[in-house]
């Protein structure tokens, strides 16, 4: 028995050591020798659990080791969410007052909304500068005069003709009192109550900050959930986003440039640089140019994540003119500051405000969804459950939902919280599920869906969390495995055999949880009691086969009335194949539960060639005359079957499948399909004209071999 046993890698893959060395070098750029030392040290640090797995064959521990060594399913990038994300600390007070400068050009409906709303949000005696840049709508003059009456500390400037954003800003700068910071504010914004002190606070922490910009629904790299996902803001949306923002720890992060929809400019850099470059014409690029110039003087630019200001965007120009102006400005900036475009791309890829963006985006999806938001609890292992979950997510998004929430177990951290939309995906790794629940609090209209909880760091936390998440909400259980019945999610006992639903008082250790790294000890009785509460709370238990419904009802009789039978659809099935092949085909990944021992026993006795189209667990080795193809695409099943001369399919699983995509795909080829009398695979095979259920036991190697040979003689 070797260390490869828990890697589930095909024969042709590198050794575990090689994989660890390669991954370490890719992540750190360390020299080869240093990466080898790191790999050996990593394995040595896990030696006790490796030994325990080799002795006990604990499949849950195998999955755990895969993740620790980075050999599990790829989840994509995610930033760690700090435990103090919602810590409440007082914010510093900026050293100096500020003037708010609002350049105006037409768009009277936006100006009227902003000026009516603004006094409710400002500190007493706040200085406001209104610059009417040649508006030809007479309503603008009326609105600015009325505001000046309402808010006495107002300066109004009027240009006879439209001279552009930069000229308007520079004119307002000249009316700024000495040592005043300047806040640029577009007319198409919705600032929340108390926004000015929060926007200026970072200047107190870092005097070398040249600009500060808040988060927004529409602010390029500072958009929630992402740039390009535009929703017209309303007061309620911004109120709810800012409500979450105010709970975030007061924090600012460096950004490549400030963004002019709402941007505070430090008076120290205004005094050195002056105003905006008028070479950019009537709009776009001026604030980036100023920020790059400030950076050259040692100035930094920051986003403050505990403030959200709403922004409509694109109010100044039509679509075609806007596109042309942005392109022209971008070329000029790239010529003046060649480093800037790449710096922006690097910042977006790194996304240092990822945890805060995720927290705000959860509030965003709660406010923009017109129906309950799906919250799916899933695992991190890939496979059929992941395929089904991907389909469910796609269906929800196609139905008009702005996003779907996924709470995963068993990845690099105990929990991973994801928000996925049609054109974006946000993810954060979380150590404590209480923090995840806190981040989910704004999602008050939710539909909780259990997909799979296998390989949770603390398995008993899965049913406990489900009950809390679903309190007062709809709860649906999907039977992608039998984890709700036993920690042995395929229902195999300690001898690797299926003996039916385990007795409630069983003492077989595979049906309980042993204490370990982050795991609480849980008896089988306690396990069943905890999941019984979930089943009782559930509105629906989705079974993908009759046999799954029977097994869950045997464990929890009160589930019977809640079962909904919904077999998966097989999309793009493989083509029909001609009979006559001489090899025995096996489709899908193979481990102990999927019949690895059955295949190894057959390989030693049969003269016919076995062809596994899929990967095999490293503990199972086939004779050289047999073939393990490795990973495959479903679209290639037909061509691979022809290539390997397959004339009969064997489904060797020794556990009851809950559905079995592989069985249905094999049946679709029209070739004979043989399986044991177990679970959903036997249910499907028995109903098909080309299906044959074996009467012998998986342990009866001679009987299985004889039955397979008999099919070739027909």
């Amino acid at each position: 028995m070797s260390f490869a046993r828990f890697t589930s890698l095909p024969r042709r893959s590198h050794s575990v050591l090689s994989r660890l060395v390669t991954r370490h070098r890719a992540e750190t750029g360390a020299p080869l020798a240093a990466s080898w030392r790191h790999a050996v040290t990593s394995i040595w640090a896990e030696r006790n659990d490796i030994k325990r797995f080799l002795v006990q064959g604990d499949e849950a521990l195998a999955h755990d080791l895969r993740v620790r060594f980075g050999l599990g399913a790829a989840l994509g990038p995610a930033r760690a969410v700090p435990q103090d994300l919602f810590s409440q600390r007082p914010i510093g007070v900026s050293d100096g007052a500020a003037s708010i400068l609002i350049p105006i050009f037409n768009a009277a409906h936006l100006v009227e909304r902003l000026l009516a709303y603004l006094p409710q949000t400002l500190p007493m005696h706040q200085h406001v500068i209104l610059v009417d840049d040649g508006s030809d709508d007479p309503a603008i003059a009326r609105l600015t005069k009325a505001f000046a009456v309402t808010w006495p500390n107002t300066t109004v400037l009027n240009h006879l003709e439209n001279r552009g954003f930069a000229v308007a800003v520079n004119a307002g700068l000249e009316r700024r009192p000495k040592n005043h910071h300047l806040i640029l504010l577009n007319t198409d914004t919705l600032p929340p109550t108390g926004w000015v002190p929060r926007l200026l606070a970072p200047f107190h922490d870092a005097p070398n900050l040249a600009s500060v910009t808040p988060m927004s629904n529409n602010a390029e790299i500072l958009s929630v959930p992402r740039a390009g996902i535009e929703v017209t803001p309303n007061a309620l949306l911004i109120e709810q986003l800012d409500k979450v923002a105010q709970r975030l720890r007061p924090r600012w992060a460096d950004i490549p440039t400030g963004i002019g929809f709402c941007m505070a400019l430090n008076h120290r850099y205004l005094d050195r640089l002056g105003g905006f470059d008028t070479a950019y014409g009537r709009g776009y690029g001026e604030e980036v140019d100023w920020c790059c110039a400030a950076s050259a003087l040692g100035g930094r630019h920051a986003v403050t994540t505990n403030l959200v200001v709403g922004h409509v965007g694109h109010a100044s120009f039509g679509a075609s003119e806007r596109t042309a102006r942005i392109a022209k400005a971008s070329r000029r900036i790239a010529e003046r500051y060649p480093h800037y475009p790449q710096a922006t791309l690097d910042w977006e890829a790194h996304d240092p405000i990822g945890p805060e963006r995720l927290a705000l985006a959860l509030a965003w999806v709660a406010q923009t969804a017109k129906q309950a938001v799906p919250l799916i609890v899933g695992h991190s292992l890939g496979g059929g459950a992941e395929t089904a979950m991907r389909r469910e997510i796609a269906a929800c998004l196609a139905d008009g939902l702005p996003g779907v929430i996924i709470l995963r177990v068993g990845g690099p951290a105990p929990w991973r919280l994801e928000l996925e939309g049609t054109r974006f995906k946000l993810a954060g790794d979380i150590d404590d599920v209480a923090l995840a629940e806190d981040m989910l609090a704004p999602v008050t209209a939710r539909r909780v869906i259990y997909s799979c909880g296998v390989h949770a760091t603390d398995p008993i936390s899965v049913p406990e969390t489900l009950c809390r998440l679903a309190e007062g909400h709809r709860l649906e259980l999907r039977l992608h495995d039998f984890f709700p019945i036993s920690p042995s999610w395929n229902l195999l006992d300690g001898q690797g055999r299926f003996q039916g639903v385990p007795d409630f008082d069983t003492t077989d250790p595979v049906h309980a949880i042993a204490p370990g790294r982050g795991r609480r000890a849980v008896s089988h009785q306690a396990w069943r009691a905890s999941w019984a509460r979930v089943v009782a709370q559930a509105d629906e238990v989705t079974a993908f086969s009759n046999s799954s419904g029977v097994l869950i009802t045997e464990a929890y009789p009160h589930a019977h009335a809640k079962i909904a039978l919904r077999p998966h659809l097989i999309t793009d099935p493989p083509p029909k194949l001609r009979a006559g092949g001489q090899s025995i085909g096996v489709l899908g990944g193979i481990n102990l539960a999927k019949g690895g021992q059955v295949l190894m026993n057959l390989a030693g006795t049969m003269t016919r060639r076995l062809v596994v189209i899929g990967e095999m667990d490293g503990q199972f080795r086939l004779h050289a005359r047999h073939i393990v193809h490795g990973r495959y695409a479903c679209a290639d099943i037909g061509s691979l079957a022809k290539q390997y001369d397959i004339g009969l399919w064997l489904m060797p699983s020794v556990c009851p499948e809950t559905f079995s995509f592989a069985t249905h795909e094999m049946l679709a080829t029209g070739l004979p399909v043989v399986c044991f009398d177990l679970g959903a695979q036997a249910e499907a095979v028995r109903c098909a004209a080309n299906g044959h259920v074996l009467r012998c036991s998986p342990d009866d190697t001679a009987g299985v071999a004889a039955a397979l040979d008999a099919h070739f003689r027909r």
Side-chain angles (χ1 to χ4, degrees):
M1 196 177 295
S2 72
F3 186 61
R5 180 174 175 186
F6 69 79
T7 65
S8 290
L9 299 174
R11 288 184 189 174
R12 292 187 293 273
S13 295
H14 297 305
S15 68
V16 173
L17 271 173
S18 297
R19 287 285 297 275
L20 292 176
V21 170
T22 301
R23 186 165 64 93
H24 185 255
R25 294 191 75 190
E27 291 176 351
T28 66
L32 182 62
S35 294
W36 272 100
R37 286 194 297 272
H38 170 82
V40 172
T41 301
S42 298
I43 292 176
W44 178 254
E46 306 293 348
R47 65 191 183 280
N48 291 331
D49 278 349
I50 293 171
K51 179 180 178 181
R52 183 159 64 90
F53 167 74
L54 295 176
V55 171
Q56 299 178 3
D58 183 346
E59 289 293 328
L61 184 55
H63 286 297
D64 194 24
L65 288 167
R66 288 184 198 122
V67 170
R68 289 186 222 168
F69 288 109
L71 302 175
L75 289 180
R79 293 191 65 83
V81 179
Q83 193 61 37
D84 64 345
L85 181 69
F86 291 117
S87 63
Q88 296 295 315
R89 297 195 298 270
I91 63 173
V93 178
S94 172
D95 57 340
S99 295
I100 297 174
L101 171 56
I102 305 175
I104 298 171
F105 177 67
N106 289 332
H109 65 292
L110 294 174
V111 175
E112 182 175 20
R113 184 180 70 168
L114 175 64
L115 297 185
Y117 185 68
L118 199 58
Q120 308 168 41
T121 72
L122 295 179
M124 292 290 291
H125 312 299
Q126 173 67 56
H127 183 219
V128 177
I129 305 171
L130 304 179
V131 181
D132 178 3
D133 188 28
S135 298
D136 53 22
D137 185 343
I140 298 298
R142 185 177 67 253
L143 291 169
T144 56
K145 289 179 182 178
F147 182 83
V149 171
T150 303
W151 197 263
N153 195 11
T154 299
T155 300
V156 179
L157 303 178
N158 296 291
H159 291 173
L160 296 178
E161 61 181 5
N162 179 235
R163 300 166 63 190
F165 178 74
V167 174
V169 169
N170 293 345
L173 272 172
E174 294 178 1
R175 305 299 292 270
R176 170 182 61 103
K178 186 177 181 180
N179 294 331
H180 265 218
H181 303 303
L182 188 75
I183 299 175
L184 292 182
L185 187 67
N186 280 10
T187 55
D188 60 347
T189 56
L190 273 175
T193 301
W195 64 284
V196 172
R198 280 183 282 153
L199 184 63
L200 297 176
F203 289 152
H204 175 270
D205 296 333
N208 67 335
L209 282 180
S211 75
V212 181
T213 308
M215 301 292 290
S216 178
N217 63 290
N218 183 359
E220 301 175 28
I221 61 173
L222 305 183
S223 298
V224 176
R226 282 289 191 196
I229 312 298
E230 296 176 5
V231 174
T232 301
N234 56 54
L236 179 60
L237 172 63
I238 301 309
E239 176 189 334
Q240 293 303 311
L241 291 182
D242 192 61
K243 186 176 180 181
V244 173
Q246 291 185 65
R247 294 183 57 227
L248 296 172
R249 55 182 181 165
R251 186 176 88 91
W252 57 268
D254 284 294
I255 52 178
T257 179
I259 301 172
F261 80 103
C262 177
M263 179 171 70
L265 304 179
N266 193 323
H267 70 83
R268 296 179 179 87
Y269 289 89
L270 287 169
D271 293 342
R272 296 175 68 184
L273 288 170
F276 286 177
D277 190 337
T278 58
Y280 288 89
R282 291 175 57 230
Y284 293 114
E286 303 92 344
E287 75 273 27
V288 176
D289 187 282
W290 189 91
C291 288
C292 287
S295 297
L297 295 178
R300 297 160 65 188
H301 309 285
V303 53
T304 182
T305 56
N306 68 333
L307 171 63
V308 175
V309 173
H311 182 212
V312 175
H314 313 320
S316 300
F317 304 101
S320 59
E321 184 180 2
R322 179 174 66 250
T323 301
R325 288 182 176 277
I326 290 174
K328 183 178 179 180
S330 297
R331 288 192 298 270
R332 185 185 295 272
I333 289 166
E335 290 169 359
R336 289 186 174 185
Y337 310 101
H339 70 283
Y340 172 75
Q342 188 59 49
T344 301
L345 293 174
D346 291 344
W347 191 93
E348 287 186 279
H350 183 57
D351 196 14
I353 58 170
E356 291 87 353
R357 193 194 303 272
L358 176 58
L360 293 170
L362 290 168
W364 172 87
V365 78
Q367 288 300 312
T368 55
K370 293 180 173 58
Q371 54 185 294
V373 179
L375 167 55
I376 304 176
V377 177
H379 65 19
S380 305
L381 303 175
E386 181 72 17
T387 299
M389 186 174 74
R390 301 307 316 164
R391 291 180 179 178
E392 187 155 9
I393 291 171
C396 290
L397 297 178
D399 195 35
L401 275 162
V404 175
I405 304 168
I406 305 101
L407 180 62
R408 292 187 186 270
V409 301
W415 302 86
R416 172 173 286 199
L417 189 57
E418 300 173 356
L419 176 61
E420 183 170 343
T422 304
R423 292 184 290 141
F424 70 91
K425 182 175 180 179
L426 306 177
D429 286 333
I430 298 173
D431 288 331
D432 185 353
V433 71
L435 175 57
E437 293 174 24
D438 206 6
M439 294 175 72
L440 290 167
V443 189
T444 54
R446 66 177 74 150
R447 178 167 63 99
V448 181
I449 301 168
Y450 170 77
S451 173
C452 183
V454 171
H455 186 47
T457 300
D458 181 24
I460 196 62
S461 67
V462 174
E464 295 171 347
T465 301
L466 278 171
C467 286
R468 290 195 301 271
L469 289 175
E471 188 171 352
H473 306 285
R474 181 174 175 81
L475 173 60
E476 302 171 18
L477 302 187
R478 308 278 193 261
L479 295 181
H480 291 301
D481 50 60
F482 296 110
F483 199 52
I485 296 177
S486 169
S488 177
W489 59 87
N490 47 40
L491 297 184
L492 296 186
D493 64 12
Q495 303 302 312
R497 296 184 177 88
F498 173 63
Q499 305 284 0
V501 172
D503 293 335
F504 183 77
D505 57 357
T506 182
T507 58
D508 188 332
V510 302
H511 295 305
I513 301 291
R517 185 187 296 251
R519 295 189 303 268
R520 289 172 280 174
V522 183
S523 68
H524 183 69
Q525 295 93 325
W527 181 265
R528 291 272 286 273
S530 186
W531 276 100
R533 289 190 288 272
V534 177
V535 174
Q537 191 172 334
D539 297 277
E540 179 183 293
V541 178
T542 305
F544 304 107
S545 62
N546 281 309
S547 60
S548 297
V550 170
L551 290 172
I552 196 74
T553 301
E554 185 177 340
Y556 307 105
H558 58 294
H560 177 73
K562 301 180 178 184
I563 291 177
L565 181 61
R566 293 193 179 93
H568 293 297
L569 297 176
I570 304 299
T571 58
D572 299 321
K576 295 288 184 181
L577 300 174
R578 286 187 178 183
Q582 296 303 304
S583 299
I584 299 172
V586 179
L587 189 64
I590 300 299
N591 55 19
L592 176 65
K594 299 290 187 178
Q597 190 63 52
V598 171
L599 294 182
M600 197 161 72
N601 293 343
L602 286 173
T605 61
M606 294 196 70
T607 57
R608 290 187 183 276
R609 184 174 63 172
L610 288 171
V611 178
V612 178
I613 300 178
E615 296 181 336
M616 283 195 73
D617 191 313
Q619 67 175 304
F620 301 111
R621 303 284 180 174
L622 303 185
H623 190 275
R625 70 176 181 274
H626 304 292
I627 294 174
V628 178
H629 173 81
R631 293 187 180 184
Y632 66 96
C634 291
D636 297 333
I637 293 173
S639 60
L640 290 172
K642 292 177 183 177
Q643 174 185 334
Y644 292 121
D645 193 34
I646 291 172
L648 176 144
W649 295 104
L650 170 64
M651 165 51 71
S653 288
V654 298
C655 68
E657 303 276 358
T658 57
F659 177 73
S660 183
F661 283 95
T663 298
H664 286 270
E665 288 163 348
M666 291 186 290
L667 287 169
T669 67
L671 297 178
V673 179
V674 177
C675 74
F676 298 110
D677 193 6
L678 293 168
Q681 64 269 43
E683 187 177 311
V685 165
R686 189 174 284 112
C687 294
N690 57 325
H692 306 275
V693 177
L694 292 170
R695 296 181 179 179
C696 52
S697 162
D699 296 329
D700 183 3
T701 302
V704 175
L708 294 175
D709 281 334
H711 279 285
F712 280 98
R713 293 195 298 269
R714 292 179 181 175

